Amino acid sequence: MEKKTLMITGASGFIGSNFIERYKEKYNIIPVDLLKTKPEEIEFKGVDTVLHLAALVHQMKGAPREKYFEVNTELTKDVAENAKKNGVKHFVFYSTVKVYGYDGDLYNHKLILDENSECNPVDDPYGESKWEAEKILKNLESDSFKVGVIRPPMVYGKGVKGNMESLIKLIKKLPVLPFDYNKNKRSLVNIENLMYLTTLVIDKEGQGVFLPLDEKNLSLKEIAEGIEKAYELKRVNIPLIQPFFWILTKLKPNIMIRLYGSLQFKNKETQEKLGYISKISYESGIRNMIGE
């Protein structure tokens, strides 16, 4: 079978660099640096699929609201319009579960979202800018220009940054942790599972929304214990007593929601459309992070 020619924006990022290393023999890959090349200057000739990874993600020190829309919305629009104009048949956009408007829920641990759940990002320029880009891409779709949207939850794997990196550092540092908590459930995706789903979207010219997920959703206790086991750490996990739990919820709501809140997804439609089944378990995925 002839190799597909795949153009990747944001190729130097965590997901892009992992994808290229893993699948450089499977596809003819053309990396594009949008910091150096304007969308209208891109040579799309012979490109079967554009995998658009370039984005401005959450910045620890903050970024102007308009910058998120400049990169995540307008730049996406410009790349997609030029790809369509130049005959590209398939555009794969990396969005985020932030488009649903949830970081987690401390009160409703039974809520489960899916590909068709309502999106309503508020006061989150990252989620809002991605959602605006999704709507623009939907309007660009035609019989000759298919759009696949991938919405990853929290991604983990070797070299990962963000919330998972912070949690691992905390567990490595403290011998006693307030992580004996199993009421919540969160959806995660290992980088290997994420990349595998991406290949399915590319190969099947997937159209619509896709949720890449590990096989099962995990509680905070299960997530922490998996990290401790993988790194061979002896840690004492204790529960937070209720008064202290709710005081912290008032004082540090964002941190408490991310740790103790539930954020669950199911991806039945993704499985049916693509035949997707996660390839690697959470335990194996965490073990693969050793040796960073």
PDB file of all heavy atoms in Angstrom, residues 9-11 34 52-59 67-68 71-73 75-76 93-95 126 129-130:
ATOM      1  N   THR A   9       1.860  20.219  11.541  1.00  0.00           N
ATOM      2  CA  THR A   9       2.234  21.487  12.163  1.00  0.00           C
ATOM      3  C   THR A   9       2.464  21.225  13.657  1.00  0.00           C
ATOM      4  O   THR A   9       1.891  20.301  14.224  1.00  0.00           O
ATOM      5  CB  THR A   9       1.129  22.533  12.000  1.00  0.00           C
ATOM      6  OG1 THR A   9      -0.011  22.154  12.788  1.00  0.00           O
ATOM      7  CG2 THR A   9       0.719  22.679  10.545  1.00  0.00           C
ATOM      8  N   GLY A  10       3.312  22.034  14.288  1.00  0.00           N
ATOM      9  CA  GLY A  10       3.617  21.793  15.696  1.00  0.00           C
ATOM     10  C   GLY A  10       4.402  20.510  15.888  1.00  0.00           C
ATOM     11  O   GLY A  10       4.286  19.846  16.927  1.00  0.00           O
ATOM     12  N   ALA A  11       5.227  20.176  14.923  1.00  0.00           N
ATOM     13  CA  ALA A  11       5.928  18.894  14.922  1.00  0.00           C
ATOM     14  C   ALA A  11       6.975  18.775  16.023  1.00  0.00           C
ATOM     15  O   ALA A  11       7.367  17.660  16.393  1.00  0.00           O
ATOM     16  CB  ALA A  11       6.591  18.663  13.563  1.00  0.00           C
ATOM     17  N   LEU A  34       5.151  26.864  11.811  1.00  0.00           N
ATOM     18  CA  LEU A  34       4.324  28.032  11.509  1.00  0.00           C
ATOM     19  C   LEU A  34       4.878  29.329  12.092  1.00  0.00           C
ATOM     20  O   LEU A  34       4.336  30.402  11.831  1.00  0.00           O
ATOM     21  CB  LEU A  34       2.894  27.798  12.014  1.00  0.00           C
ATOM     22  CG  LEU A  34       2.131  26.709  11.257  1.00  0.00           C
ATOM     23  CD1 LEU A  34       0.790  26.435  11.914  1.00  0.00           C
ATOM     24  CD2 LEU A  34       1.939  27.092   9.793  1.00  0.00           C
ATOM     25  N   HIS A  52      -2.883  18.994  12.331  1.00  0.00           N
ATOM     26  CA  HIS A  52      -2.631  20.332  12.875  1.00  0.00           C
ATOM     27  C   HIS A  52      -2.506  20.257  14.396  1.00  0.00           C
ATOM     28  O   HIS A  52      -3.500  20.210  15.122  1.00  0.00           O
ATOM     29  CB  HIS A  52      -3.761  21.275  12.470  1.00  0.00           C
ATOM     30  CG  HIS A  52      -3.537  22.699  12.871  1.00  0.00           C
ATOM     31  ND1 HIS A  52      -2.426  23.426  12.492  1.00  0.00           N
ATOM     32  CD2 HIS A  52      -4.283  23.540  13.639  1.00  0.00           C
ATOM     33  CE1 HIS A  52      -2.504  24.648  12.982  1.00  0.00           C
ATOM     34  NE2 HIS A  52      -3.621  24.739  13.696  1.00  0.00           N
ATOM     35  N   LEU A  53      -1.266  20.267  14.869  1.00  0.00           N
ATOM     36  CA  LEU A  53      -0.958  20.198  16.296  1.00  0.00           C
ATOM     37  C   LEU A  53      -0.551  21.537  16.878  1.00  0.00           C
ATOM     38  O   LEU A  53      -0.596  21.722  18.099  1.00  0.00           O
ATOM     39  CB  LEU A  53       0.183  19.199  16.543  1.00  0.00           C
ATOM     40  CG  LEU A  53      -0.016  17.761  16.066  1.00  0.00           C
ATOM     41  CD1 LEU A  53       1.262  16.958  16.295  1.00  0.00           C
ATOM     42  CD2 LEU A  53      -1.183  17.115  16.782  1.00  0.00           C
ATOM     43  N   ALA A  54      -0.126  22.465  16.031  1.00  0.00           N
ATOM     44  CA  ALA A  54       0.363  23.758  16.515  1.00  0.00           C
ATOM     45  C   ALA A  54      -0.707  24.459  17.344  1.00  0.00           C
ATOM     46  O   ALA A  54      -1.850  24.581  16.925  1.00  0.00           O
ATOM     47  CB  ALA A  54       0.778  24.636  15.337  1.00  0.00           C
ATOM     48  N   ALA A  55      -0.324  24.904  18.547  1.00  0.00           N
ATOM     49  CA  ALA A  55      -1.308  25.529  19.441  1.00  0.00           C
ATOM     50  C   ALA A  55      -0.600  26.285  20.549  1.00  0.00           C
ATOM     51  O   ALA A  55       0.561  26.030  20.864  1.00  0.00           O
ATOM     52  CB  ALA A  55      -2.221  24.463  20.052  1.00  0.00           C
ATOM     53  N   LEU A  56      -1.326  27.204  21.133  1.00  0.00           N
ATOM     54  CA  LEU A  56      -0.898  27.840  22.371  1.00  0.00           C
ATOM     55  C   LEU A  56      -1.697  27.186  23.499  1.00  0.00           C
ATOM     56  O   LEU A  56      -2.909  27.335  23.578  1.00  0.00           O
ATOM     57  CB  LEU A  56      -1.172  29.343  22.339  1.00  0.00           C
ATOM     58  CG  LEU A  56      -0.801  30.127  23.608  1.00  0.00           C
ATOM     59  CD1 LEU A  56       0.704  30.083  23.851  1.00  0.00           C
ATOM     60  CD2 LEU A  56      -1.282  31.569  23.511  1.00  0.00           C
ATOM     61  N   VAL A  57      -1.010  26.426  24.331  1.00  0.00           N
ATOM     62  CA  VAL A  57      -1.685  25.738  25.437  1.00  0.00           C
ATOM     63  C   VAL A  57      -1.617  26.608  26.679  1.00  0.00           C
ATOM     64  O   VAL A  57      -1.071  27.716  26.654  1.00  0.00           O
ATOM     65  CB  VAL A  57      -1.056  24.345  25.692  1.00  0.00           C
ATOM     66  CG1 VAL A  57      -1.201  23.466  24.470  1.00  0.00           C
ATOM     67  CG2 VAL A  57       0.424  24.476  26.072  1.00  0.00           C
ATOM     68  N   HIS A  58      -2.162  26.098  27.790  1.00  0.00           N
ATOM     69  CA  HIS A  58      -2.171  26.870  29.033  1.00  0.00           C
ATOM     70  C   HIS A  58      -0.754  27.284  29.419  1.00  0.00           C
ATOM     71  O   HIS A  58       0.157  26.455  29.480  1.00  0.00           O
ATOM     72  CB  HIS A  58      -2.777  26.040  30.163  1.00  0.00           C
ATOM     73  CG  HIS A  58      -4.269  26.024  30.125  1.00  0.00           C
ATOM     74  ND1 HIS A  58      -5.035  27.111  30.482  1.00  0.00           N
ATOM     75  CD2 HIS A  58      -5.144  25.058  29.760  1.00  0.00           C
ATOM     76  CE1 HIS A  58      -6.317  26.814  30.346  1.00  0.00           C
ATOM     77  NE2 HIS A  58      -6.413  25.572  29.907  1.00  0.00           N
ATOM     78  N   GLN A  59      -0.580  28.559  29.669  1.00  0.00           N
ATOM     79  CA  GLN A  59       0.711  29.101  30.066  1.00  0.00           C
ATOM     80  C   GLN A  59       0.733  29.326  31.574  1.00  0.00           C
ATOM     81  O   GLN A  59      -0.157  29.980  32.127  1.00  0.00           O
ATOM     82  CB  GLN A  59       0.985  30.423  29.349  1.00  0.00           C
ATOM     83  CG  GLN A  59       0.951  30.310  27.837  1.00  0.00           C
ATOM     84  CD  GLN A  59       2.049  29.440  27.293  1.00  0.00           C
ATOM     85  OE1 GLN A  59       3.232  29.702  27.505  1.00  0.00           O
ATOM     86  NE2 GLN A  59       1.669  28.376  26.619  1.00  0.00           N
ATOM     87  N   LYS A  67      -4.098  36.331  22.400  1.00  0.00           N
ATOM     88  CA  LYS A  67      -3.041  35.481  21.839  1.00  0.00           C
ATOM     89  C   LYS A  67      -3.544  34.055  21.611  1.00  0.00           C
ATOM     90  O   LYS A  67      -3.185  33.403  20.619  1.00  0.00           O
ATOM     91  CB  LYS A  67      -1.824  35.473  22.770  1.00  0.00           C
ATOM     92  CG  LYS A  67      -0.582  34.853  22.156  1.00  0.00           C
ATOM     93  CD  LYS A  67      -0.048  35.699  21.010  1.00  0.00           C
ATOM     94  CE  LYS A  67       1.239  35.115  20.439  1.00  0.00           C
ATOM     95  NZ  LYS A  67       1.729  35.910  19.287  1.00  0.00           N
ATOM     96  N   TYR A  68      -4.376  33.551  22.532  1.00  0.00           N
ATOM     97  CA  TYR A  68      -4.944  32.211  22.358  1.00  0.00           C
ATOM     98  C   TYR A  68      -5.778  32.146  21.081  1.00  0.00           C
ATOM     99  O   TYR A  68      -5.700  31.169  20.323  1.00  0.00           O
ATOM    100  CB  TYR A  68      -5.815  31.843  23.561  1.00  0.00           C
ATOM    101  CG  TYR A  68      -5.036  31.466  24.795  1.00  0.00           C
ATOM    102  CD1 TYR A  68      -4.833  32.387  25.825  1.00  0.00           C
ATOM    103  CD2 TYR A  68      -4.489  30.196  24.940  1.00  0.00           C
ATOM    104  CE1 TYR A  68      -4.114  32.053  26.969  1.00  0.00           C
ATOM    105  CE2 TYR A  68      -3.782  29.838  26.077  1.00  0.00           C
ATOM    106  CZ  TYR A  68      -3.598  30.775  27.085  1.00  0.00           C
ATOM    107  OH  TYR A  68      -2.885  30.434  28.210  1.00  0.00           O
ATOM    108  N   VAL A  71      -3.564  32.289  17.829  1.00  0.00           N
ATOM    109  CA  VAL A  71      -2.870  31.036  17.489  1.00  0.00           C
ATOM    110  C   VAL A  71      -3.845  29.885  17.273  1.00  0.00           C
ATOM    111  O   VAL A  71      -3.795  29.177  16.262  1.00  0.00           O
ATOM    112  CB  VAL A  71      -1.852  30.664  18.589  1.00  0.00           C
ATOM    113  CG1 VAL A  71      -1.203  29.310  18.287  1.00  0.00           C
ATOM    114  CG2 VAL A  71      -0.792  31.746  18.718  1.00  0.00           C
ATOM    115  N   ASN A  72      -4.738  29.681  18.243  1.00  0.00           N
ATOM    116  CA  ASN A  72      -5.579  28.484  18.222  1.00  0.00           C
ATOM    117  C   ASN A  72      -6.783  28.587  17.291  1.00  0.00           C
ATOM    118  O   ASN A  72      -7.280  27.559  16.826  1.00  0.00           O
ATOM    119  CB  ASN A  72      -6.073  28.158  19.636  1.00  0.00           C
ATOM    120  CG  ASN A  72      -4.934  27.837  20.576  1.00  0.00           C
ATOM    121  OD1 ASN A  72      -3.845  27.476  20.152  1.00  0.00           O
ATOM    122  ND2 ASN A  72      -5.176  27.982  21.867  1.00  0.00           N
ATOM    123  N   THR A  73      -7.237  29.798  17.032  1.00  0.00           N
ATOM    124  CA  THR A  73      -8.414  29.969  16.174  1.00  0.00           C
ATOM    125  C   THR A  73      -8.033  30.488  14.790  1.00  0.00           C
ATOM    126  O   THR A  73      -8.253  29.814  13.779  1.00  0.00           O
ATOM    127  CB  THR A  73      -9.427  30.933  16.830  1.00  0.00           C
ATOM    128  OG1 THR A  73      -9.718  30.495  18.158  1.00  0.00           O
ATOM    129  CG2 THR A  73     -10.714  30.975  16.015  1.00  0.00           C
ATOM    130  N   LEU A  75      -5.076  31.110  13.310  1.00  0.00           N
ATOM    131  CA  LEU A  75      -4.029  30.377  12.590  1.00  0.00           C
ATOM    132  C   LEU A  75      -4.574  29.046  12.070  1.00  0.00           C
ATOM    133  O   LEU A  75      -4.265  28.633  10.944  1.00  0.00           O
ATOM    134  CB  LEU A  75      -2.829  30.140  13.501  1.00  0.00           C
ATOM    135  CG  LEU A  75      -1.584  29.548  12.829  1.00  0.00           C
ATOM    136  CD1 LEU A  75      -1.088  30.451  11.709  1.00  0.00           C
ATOM    137  CD2 LEU A  75      -0.468  29.333  13.857  1.00  0.00           C
ATOM    138  N   THR A  76      -5.385  28.379  12.885  1.00  0.00           N
ATOM    139  CA  THR A  76      -6.022  27.129  12.434  1.00  0.00           C
ATOM    140  C   THR A  76      -6.889  27.389  11.203  1.00  0.00           C
ATOM    141  O   THR A  76      -6.843  26.635  10.226  1.00  0.00           O
ATOM    142  CB  THR A  76      -6.881  26.537  13.568  1.00  0.00           C
ATOM    143  OG1 THR A  76      -6.040  26.214  14.674  1.00  0.00           O
ATOM    144  CG2 THR A  76      -7.609  25.281  13.092  1.00  0.00           C
ATOM    145  N   PHE A  93      -7.545  17.933  13.334  1.00  0.00           N
ATOM    146  CA  PHE A  93      -7.308  19.024  14.283  1.00  0.00           C
ATOM    147  C   PHE A  93      -7.256  18.493  15.709  1.00  0.00           C
ATOM    148  O   PHE A  93      -8.173  17.813  16.165  1.00  0.00           O
ATOM    149  CB  PHE A  93      -8.428  20.060  14.150  1.00  0.00           C
ATOM    150  CG  PHE A  93      -8.369  21.186  15.150  1.00  0.00           C
ATOM    151  CD1 PHE A  93      -7.268  22.009  15.219  1.00  0.00           C
ATOM    152  CD2 PHE A  93      -9.439  21.429  16.005  1.00  0.00           C
ATOM    153  CE1 PHE A  93      -7.217  23.064  16.129  1.00  0.00           C
ATOM    154  CE2 PHE A  93      -9.407  22.481  16.916  1.00  0.00           C
ATOM    155  CZ  PHE A  93      -8.286  23.295  16.977  1.00  0.00           C
ATOM    156  N   TYR A  94      -6.180  18.828  16.410  1.00  0.00           N
ATOM    157  CA  TYR A  94      -6.077  18.492  17.829  1.00  0.00           C
ATOM    158  C   TYR A  94      -6.744  19.588  18.642  1.00  0.00           C
ATOM    159  O   TYR A  94      -6.238  20.705  18.743  1.00  0.00           O
ATOM    160  CB  TYR A  94      -4.615  18.356  18.247  1.00  0.00           C
ATOM    161  CG  TYR A  94      -4.157  16.923  18.379  1.00  0.00           C
ATOM    162  CD1 TYR A  94      -4.244  16.044  17.301  1.00  0.00           C
ATOM    163  CD2 TYR A  94      -3.635  16.450  19.576  1.00  0.00           C
ATOM    164  CE1 TYR A  94      -3.829  14.736  17.420  1.00  0.00           C
ATOM    165  CE2 TYR A  94      -3.208  15.139  19.696  1.00  0.00           C
ATOM    166  CZ  TYR A  94      -3.304  14.283  18.621  1.00  0.00           C
ATOM    167  OH  TYR A  94      -2.891  12.985  18.747  1.00  0.00           O
ATOM    168  N   SER A  95      -7.879  19.251  19.226  1.00  0.00           N
ATOM    169  CA  SER A  95      -8.582  20.158  20.110  1.00  0.00           C
ATOM    170  C   SER A  95      -8.284  19.736  21.555  1.00  0.00           C
ATOM    171  O   SER A  95      -7.171  19.348  21.873  1.00  0.00           O
ATOM    172  CB  SER A  95     -10.087  20.123  19.800  1.00  0.00           C
ATOM    173  OG  SER A  95     -10.777  21.104  20.532  1.00  0.00           O
ATOM    174  N   TYR A 126      -8.101  29.181  26.478  1.00  0.00           N
ATOM    175  CA  TYR A 126      -7.592  28.013  25.752  1.00  0.00           C
ATOM    176  C   TYR A 126      -8.755  27.180  25.208  1.00  0.00           C
ATOM    177  O   TYR A 126      -8.844  26.892  24.003  1.00  0.00           O
ATOM    178  CB  TYR A 126      -6.714  27.171  26.671  1.00  0.00           C
ATOM    179  CG  TYR A 126      -6.233  25.870  26.061  1.00  0.00           C
ATOM    180  CD1 TYR A 126      -5.515  25.855  24.874  1.00  0.00           C
ATOM    181  CD2 TYR A 126      -6.493  24.644  26.685  1.00  0.00           C
ATOM    182  CE1 TYR A 126      -5.071  24.665  24.313  1.00  0.00           C
ATOM    183  CE2 TYR A 126      -6.054  23.456  26.135  1.00  0.00           C
ATOM    184  CZ  TYR A 126      -5.349  23.466  24.949  1.00  0.00           C
ATOM    185  OH  TYR A 126      -4.920  22.277  24.399  1.00  0.00           O
ATOM    186  N   SER A 129     -10.888  29.234  22.610  1.00  0.00           N
ATOM    187  CA  SER A 129     -10.251  29.417  21.301  1.00  0.00           C
ATOM    188  C   SER A 129     -10.254  28.119  20.498  1.00  0.00           C
ATOM    189  O   SER A 129     -10.393  28.137  19.269  1.00  0.00           O
ATOM    190  CB  SER A 129      -8.821  29.938  21.472  1.00  0.00           C
ATOM    191  OG  SER A 129      -8.022  29.047  22.236  1.00  0.00           O
ATOM    192  N   LYS A 130     -10.120  27.002  21.175  1.00  0.00           N
ATOM    193  CA  LYS A 130     -10.187  25.704  20.489  1.00  0.00           C
ATOM    194  C   LYS A 130     -11.603  25.420  19.995  1.00  0.00           C
ATOM    195  O   LYS A 130     -11.802  24.876  18.899  1.00  0.00           O
ATOM    196  CB  LYS A 130      -9.720  24.593  21.434  1.00  0.00           C
ATOM    197  CG  LYS A 130      -8.212  24.536  21.659  1.00  0.00           C
ATOM    198  CD  LYS A 130      -7.494  24.008  20.441  1.00  0.00           C
ATOM    199  CE  LYS A 130      -6.041  23.682  20.735  1.00  0.00           C
ATOM    200  NZ  LYS A 130      -5.354  23.087  19.567  1.00  0.00           N
TER     201      LYS A 130
END
